[in-house]
Amino acid sequence: MEEDQSGLVYALERLTAAANQANRYAEQHSSDIYIPFEDKTTITGTATASIWTPKSGYKFRLRGFDINAVIRTTLAAGGSHGMLQLLDNSASDPLCVITTVQGTEPAGNAFHKYLDLGNGILSGAADRVLKIGVGENILGGIVMVSGVVWGTEVQ
């Protein structure tokens, strides 16, 4: 009988430890902010589009995204390529590449990317805005983007 009880105690201890670990993981990886953005979000030239502006004095922690992009007007970047990417406030601070586009990508081409970033990527400083842009001048080309980003805000 004692062997059964000690085995039961051990099993309960292991279950409690697993539950505690799962709760810690959920706390570290949970997202309380989901920001959808629609087809009205366009990128031209070297412009960027703002997606997430955290509360004053806070940093965003990007934990994931699901983004669609459609080339609306043929890109014209002299045959080079650019990267559609999420930015930490400016083109000089890329956080994550969504896709690579050719410099003369034709209208109608579409791209999709879903990525779960686990614990996420913390912005470099408070009050920075999460933006989306192409790392190359696409001149008169137009990229329409839509999707959702998620994460949390921290001080």
Side-chain angles (χ1 to χ4, degrees):
M1 190 75 157
E2 287 180 28
E3 287 180 32
D4 289 340
Q5 287 180 346
S6 65
L8 181 60
V9 169
Y10 176 77
L12 288 173
E13 288 173 350
R14 297 304 309 147
L15 283 173
T16 302
N20 289 338
Q21 183 178 11
N23 287 337
R24 280 192 303 277
Y25 181 87
E27 287 173 7
Q28 292 172 350
H29 293 86
S30 66
S31 298
D32 56 0
I33 297 174
Y34 294 84
I35 301 174
F37 54 99
E38 300 178 13
D39 286 338
K40 295 174 185 152
T41 305
T42 60
I43 301 165
T44 61
T46 58
T48 60
S50 296
I51 296 176
W52 180 358
T53 302
K55 293 182 284 192
S56 180
Y58 282 72
K59 297 178 183 182
F60 64 82
R61 180 180 298 278
L62 177 66
R63 290 210 165 121
F65 60 86
D66 190 353
I67 295 176
N68 297 296
V70 177
I71 308 300
R72 300 299 286 200
T73 305
T74 300
L75 304 185
S80 62
H81 69 280
M83 293 178 288
L84 183 61
Q85 52 197 352
L86 292 172
L87 309 166
D88 188 359
N89 208 54
S90 73
S92 63
D93 292 317
L95 290 176
C96 190
V97 173
I98 298 165
T99 190
T100 300
V101 294
Q102 297 305 313
T104 55
E105 197 79 49
N109 279 8
F111 306 92
H112 173 257
K113 185 158 187 180
Y114 167 87
L115 189 59
D116 181 346
L117 296 168
N119 197 35
I121 302 171
L122 187 63
S123 63
D127 302 317
R128 287 193 175 180
V129 176
L130 178 66
K131 297 182 179 183
I132 190 167
V134 178
E136 186 77 31
N137 187 347
I138 58 174
L139 304 174
I142 298 173
V143 180
M144 303 275 295
V145 292
S146 63
V148 63
V149 297
W150 58 88
T152 191
E153 294 180 359
V154 296
Q155 284 189 309

